[in-house]
Amino acid sequence: MPVMKGLLAPQNTFLDNIANHFDGTHSNFLLGNAQGRHGHPIVYCSDGFCELTGFARTEVMQKTCSCGFLHGAETSESVVQQLHKALDGQYEYQAHVCFYRKNGNLFWCLLDVVPIKNEKGDVVLYLISFKDVSETFGKSHHYSTEACWKEKIYNNPTYSRTPLFILQTFCYLLTNFFPADFQNMFPKPSLPEYKVAAVKKSRFILLHYSISKALWDWLILLATFYVAVTVPYDVCFVNHDEGGEHHSQVSGGTMASDIAVELLFILDIILNFRTTFVSQSGQVVYNSRSICLHYCTTWFFVDLIAALPFDLLYAFNITVTSLVHLLKTVRLLRLLRLLQKLDRYSQYSAVVLTLLMSAFALLAHWMACVWYVIGRKQIESSDPVTWDIGWLQELGKRLETPYINSSVGGPPMPSAYIASLYFTLSSLTSVGFGNVCANTDAEKIFSICIMLMGALMHAVVFGNVTAIIQRMYSRRSLYHTRMKDLKDFIRVHRLPQQLKQRMLEYFQATWSVNNGINANELLHDFPDELRADIAMHLNKDILQLPVFERASRGCLRSLSLHIKTSFCAPGEYLIRQGDALQANYYVCSGSLEVLRDGMVLAILGKGDLIGADLPEQEQVIKTNADVKALTYCDLQYISVRALREVLRLYPEYGSRFSSDIHHNLTYNLRDLGGTEVSTLARIRIPVLTDGPSYFSTILLDTIAFSLTITIDVS
């Protein structure tokens, strides 16, 4: 069943990961190209960096990572030199440096340079972060870090007792005096790599679009329908005997199936804690913690209440009251999950039709249960006014099993249910037939409600059923509509029979190929990049010809967007001698013959290319022969005008195409006055069979020979 799979393409989430890395601290960073030859240009600038420095993103992009535009009089030259060395040497570097904003104001920042590697281990980017420390560092730092630290110790004894001094002393000693092994005891958080991230999914996570999940959903759907049928029936038809003894006896047969359904619901809850889902942004969420939180905030409590094991009370022979039987109706909350998943079935008309009719039958079943309860309550009330005229008493009289008192007599339970269902279905679909009718006030009020409900169901269910059936036959209806328009056109313009037959054959043959789908109109709203990929796939046979081997990928993509499909019926002329050549054709299937003055010059089959080379000047190409279809032929073609436009866009390939096209054309239709044509032909010859006297035409694919034809124009 169809389901929204979400966005499954592997993504490079480097920027998102970097943003999460700085979350809660700062977001002032640049990304520089580590593979650039001219000063490592900046390739990305965060909004936080623009706010910190006052420069716009357009002013920062493509400048060097050393940030010379931030330097000023107080900027340390030694720090700048060490920064250049770190960038050239591709290693990490950290220092406090004084920079200047665009307005000239000075600020201190903690500069941190970290190389970013790709999946091959090559350094491709530099992450340069700028943490503003003007409040804590800049006010008291006018010298180098070491000199300032020593000066504060000797000249300001009270400062040595502040927490800031203790923290700075610890960092200074750790960085300058302790060995690297000791420093590695405090590892830095790992930075993400610049690569397409593979999906990290535990093997215990179930994909929401997998086949196994689809089969499980179908099983839960059947279990939900089972609950929707049995629970109202048990509550209304079975739960009327005193003491619940009869209920326990009757439900004993279905107790096993009820417990099995409850176990299925409990197992479904467990699986939902391990099933992926699609977020609001369209991403597929694989994280188990996010899955649990999402399920707990959506459907967990509904599923939990619906899965409460009430039938275990019967399994342990515990006497239950009618209130416990009514509590089983909470299982009907599972139907809410069914409404949520209806969009999964919307693409299949037959499935939607089945679900709608099932919903209608289920409503009739519920109404039948309520109708029976109304009759039972009137019997149990012992009201002399309603006792003898209630529908249940009338049914008992017809079946010769009338009620003697509230607990003795009455029609059998199967007969009572069938009569109830008959009444509700006849009331929902029409106004009833009178053989089971409402006599008392309560029965009449309920009948009015059923009729109103039936009007609504006619609008909702049967209206959708009509639309679904029309959608199932929409393609066939479109075919008959176009065929009728074609016949009306032929009749209005009084076309001759031969032309009429050709038009009808062409329409029927093209419809069988494309089923009436206009590919250009269908793909019109897709982006050019995607349309080009689709066109390359659809036209891969013609693009794999040797003439296009030297074309670049961009050239092939441009060509594929101009390739069209065509169809030719037997006996139809594709090209007439002396006409202007409009396109070069590629034979996908079928066979054609090249004729001149009634003489066969070539026979073309699948994989052949027919057309002409392009002259240097944009002159009209006159064809030197006729091309006629022998069988039904599927063709792909590119117009001469479009071919010239593409070759002008790619002049480096244009000269190669002009030289290669001569060797790839099966037959050259360009009229050169007098020419010698050498081609490989496949000839059809009649063969007399040993059976009845008739000829069968065979294609001698195994016999190929060269035909050399000299044309003397004089």
Side-chain angles (χ1 to χ4, degrees):
M1 55 187 166
V3 59
M4 181 180 177
K5 291 186 175 182
L7 307 177
L8 300 176
Q11 305 178 77
N12 189 333
T13 57
F14 175 76
L15 278 181
D16 294 337
N17 295 335
I18 288 295
N20 294 333
H21 178 80
F22 287 111
D23 187 25
T25 56
H26 65 284
S27 59
N28 316 323
F29 65 92
L30 300 174
L31 292 177
N33 184 2
Q35 299 176 330
R37 298 180 179 179
H38 305 288
H40 308 294
I42 296 171
V43 298
Y44 180 80
C45 169
S46 69
D47 294 335
F49 179 83
C50 296
E51 294 177 2
L52 176 66
T53 61
F55 286 92
R57 183 171 297 176
T58 54
E59 298 175 307
V60 176
M61 295 294 288
Q62 297 304 314
K63 288 188 168 58
T64 60
C65 291
S66 58
C67 300
F69 55 93
L70 298 179
H71 295 177
E74 297 293 331
T75 304
S76 173
E77 289 294 334
S78 60
V79 173
V80 173
Q81 293 178 1
Q82 292 177 6
L83 175 61
H84 282 292
K85 291 181 180 179
L87 294 175
D88 295 335
Q90 296 184 346
Y91 58 83
E92 294 186 21
Y93 176 70
Q94 187 179 77
H96 289 89
V97 62
C98 175
F99 282 141
Y100 289 82
R101 295 184 175 90
K102 185 178 181 179
N103 57 12
N105 293 338
L106 178 149
F107 72 97
W108 283 86
C109 71
L110 176 63
L111 179 69
D112 197 352
V113 180
V114 180
I116 302 297
K117 299 181 179 180
N118 59 9
E119 62 272 14
K120 297 180 181 179
D122 300 330
V123 177
V124 293
L125 294 174
Y126 287 118
L127 173 62
I128 307 174
S129 65
F130 302 79
K131 185 175 182 180
D132 188 2
V133 293
S134 299
E135 294 295 329
T136 59
F137 187 87
K139 293 181 178 180
S140 55
H141 282 69
H142 303 286
Y143 311 102
S144 65
T145 303
E146 183 176 359
C148 178
W149 177 74
K150 293 179 179 179
E151 182 179 347
K152 287 184 180 293
I153 294 177
Y154 297 113
N155 298 338
N156 192 357
T158 59
Y159 178 78
S160 61
R161 302 187 186 98
T162 62
L164 177 61
F165 171 78
I166 297 173
L167 180 61
Q168 290 177 348
T169 304
F170 174 76
C171 294
Y172 176 79
L173 295 176
L174 179 64
T175 305
N176 296 277
F177 297 101
F178 286 89
D181 294 340
F182 182 80
Q183 297 180 31
N184 291 335
M185 293 175 62
F186 305 93
K188 296 182 179 180
S190 59
L191 289 173
E193 295 180 343
Y194 189 76
K195 64 179 182 180
V196 176
V199 176
K200 297 180 180 180
K201 181 183 75 70
S202 171
R203 60 179 179 178
F204 299 107
I205 294 295
L206 182 64
L207 298 176
H208 67 282
Y209 55 86
S210 62
I211 297 178
S212 58
K213 185 62 169 63
L215 295 176
W216 177 259
D217 286 343
W218 276 108
L219 182 60
I220 294 298
L221 175 64
L222 295 177
T224 303
F225 270 111
Y226 171 82
V227 167
V229 172
T230 58
V231 168
Y233 182 84
D234 289 343
V235 171
C236 298
F237 281 88
V238 181
N239 180 35
H240 66 268
D241 289 324
E242 296 181 356
E245 297 177 359
H246 181 65
H247 179 273
S248 300
Q249 294 174 359
V250 174
S251 62
T254 60
M255 184 178 63
S257 58
D258 290 343
I259 293 177
V261 168
E262 290 172 353
L263 293 177
L264 281 177
F265 288 164
I266 294 173
L267 184 57
D268 184 59
I269 292 176
I270 298 174
L271 291 179
N272 283 328
F273 276 111
R274 309 298 296 174
T275 303
T276 60
F277 69 95
V278 180
S279 64
Q280 293 182 352
S281 62
Q283 304 289 337
V284 180
V285 178
Y286 299 94
N287 183 266
S288 57
R289 183 175 179 273
S290 300
I291 292 173
C292 293
L293 291 176
H294 176 264
Y295 181 53
C296 288
T297 55
T298 52
W299 291 100
F300 170 69
F301 292 102
V302 173
D303 292 345
L304 181 62
I305 295 174
L308 293 177
F310 297 108
D311 288 304
L312 292 180
L313 300 176
Y314 309 131
F316 292 104
N317 296 322
I318 299 175
T319 302
V320 295
T321 62
S322 58
L323 178 61
V324 177
H325 302 318
L326 292 175
L327 287 176
K328 292 177 64 175
T329 56
V330 298
R331 295 181 182 174
L332 299 180
L333 292 173
R334 293 287 306 190
L335 292 175
L336 298 176
R337 297 295 303 273
L338 177 62
L339 296 176
Q340 178 210 16
K341 297 179 181 179
L342 277 180
D343 59 335
R344 299 188 179 186
Y345 312 99
S346 59
Q347 295 184 4
Y348 296 119
S349 300
V351 175
V352 176
L353 183 62
T354 303
L355 290 175
L356 287 175
M357 296 307 299
S358 300
F360 184 78
L362 191 60
L363 179 63
H365 168 73
W366 291 351
M367 294 298 103
C369 295
V370 178
W371 178 249
Y372 177 79
V373 169
I374 292 175
R376 281 293 309 171
K377 292 300 181 183
Q378 292 179 144
I379 295 296
E380 293 174 357
S381 65
S382 300
D383 188 349
V385 178
T386 60
W387 169 271
D388 200 46
I389 63 174
W391 79 268
L392 202 54
Q393 180 70 338
E394 289 288 339
L395 179 63
K397 291 178 181 179
R398 293 178 184 178
L399 298 178
E400 298 180 353
T401 57
Y403 281 96
I404 300 174
N405 54 43
S406 61
S407 60
V408 179
M413 189 180 302
S415 299
Y417 173 74
I418 293 174
S420 301
L421 186 61
Y422 169 77
F423 171 77
T424 54
L425 277 174
S426 60
S427 299
L428 285 171
T429 55
S430 60
V431 293
F433 299 100
N435 47 2
V436 178
C437 59
N439 299 321
T440 66
D441 291 341
E443 292 172 357
K444 291 177 181 178
I445 293 174
F446 183 72
S447 298
I448 293 173
C449 295
I450 289 182
M451 292 176 188
L452 293 176
M453 223 175 277
L456 180 62
M457 293 302 292
H458 270 281
V460 175
V461 175
F462 293 107
N464 279 296
V465 168
T466 303
I468 290 170
I469 293 177
Q470 290 178 349
R471 187 173 61 187
M472 291 173 64
Y473 296 97
S474 61
R475 190 63 59 185
R476 183 179 300 179
S477 176
L478 179 62
Y479 170 80
H480 290 299
T481 301
R482 292 186 179 178
M483 177 62 77
K484 183 179 181 301
D485 292 342
L486 182 60
K487 290 181 178 180
D488 291 343
F489 175 83
I490 294 172
R491 178 177 50 81
V492 169
H493 295 279
R494 299 179 181 179
L495 298 181
Q497 182 64 28
Q498 183 180 4
L499 193 57
K500 169 186 175 181
Q501 187 64 28
R502 290 169 59 188
M503 292 176 66
L504 293 177
E505 283 190 2
Y506 180 84
F507 173 77
Q508 292 174 350
T510 53
W511 187 275
S512 64
V513 173
N514 56 30
N515 204 22
I517 300 174
N518 188 340
N520 294 329
E521 181 180 351
L522 183 65
L523 303 177
H524 180 266
D525 295 331
F526 284 80
D528 294 339
E529 185 75 12
L530 182 56
R531 284 196 300 116
D533 290 338
I534 297 172
M536 287 190 67
H537 174 76
L538 296 177
N539 306 310
K540 58 184 177 181
D541 292 336
I542 186 173
L543 294 178
Q544 290 175 354
L545 291 174
V547 69
F548 299 119
E549 284 183 352
R550 300 183 181 181
S552 63
R553 181 173 176 81
C555 181
L556 292 177
R557 293 167 69 86
S558 299
L559 287 171
S560 64
L561 291 174
H562 293 286
I563 296 176
K564 310 297 181 184
T565 58
S566 182
F567 178 81
C568 200
E572 294 285 341
Y573 280 88
L574 180 66
I575 299 172
R576 291 282 190 171
Q577 182 178 358
D579 289 348
L581 183 65
Q582 301 293 333
N584 288 340
Y585 294 88
Y586 174 78
V587 184
C588 299
S589 65
S591 58
L592 306 96
E593 60 180 354
V594 181
L595 302 172
R596 182 185 298 160
D597 299 330
M599 182 173 56
V600 178
L601 302 182
I603 297 178
L604 308 175
K606 179 180 179 180
D608 288 333
L609 183 65
I610 182 172
D613 57 321
L614 302 182
E616 295 182 0
Q617 293 80 17
E618 293 189 6
Q619 60 188 28
V620 177
I621 303 174
K622 297 291 185 178
T623 57
N624 57 21
D626 298 326
V627 180
K628 181 181 178 182
L630 297 174
T631 63
Y632 290 104
C633 300
D634 294 326
L635 305 166
Q636 290 180 321
Y637 68 92
I638 180 170
S639 65
V640 174
R641 178 180 298 178
L643 185 59
R644 281 174 171 160
E645 290 178 358
V646 174
L647 294 181
R648 278 198 295 266
L649 293 176
Y650 298 91
E652 67 281 358
Y653 171 69
S655 58
R656 295 180 179 178
F657 177 84
S658 300
S659 60
D660 293 345
I661 189 66
H662 294 281
H663 308 290
N664 288 272
L665 284 172
T666 306
Y667 189 86
N668 195 335
L669 292 171
R670 185 179 176 188
D671 188 4
L672 300 177
T675 182
E676 184 179 271
V677 182
S678 178
T679 184
L680 186 66
R682 292 177 287 182
I683 307 298
R684 296 178 180 271
I685 62 174
V687 177
L688 184 63
T689 63
D690 295 335
S693 56
Y694 61 90
F695 286 90
S696 65
T697 303
I698 63 172
L699 182 63
L700 299 181
D701 287 322
T702 56
I703 303 176
F705 54 91
S706 296
L707 295 178
T708 304
I709 303 171
T710 304
I711 302 171
D712 189 2
V713 180
S714 62

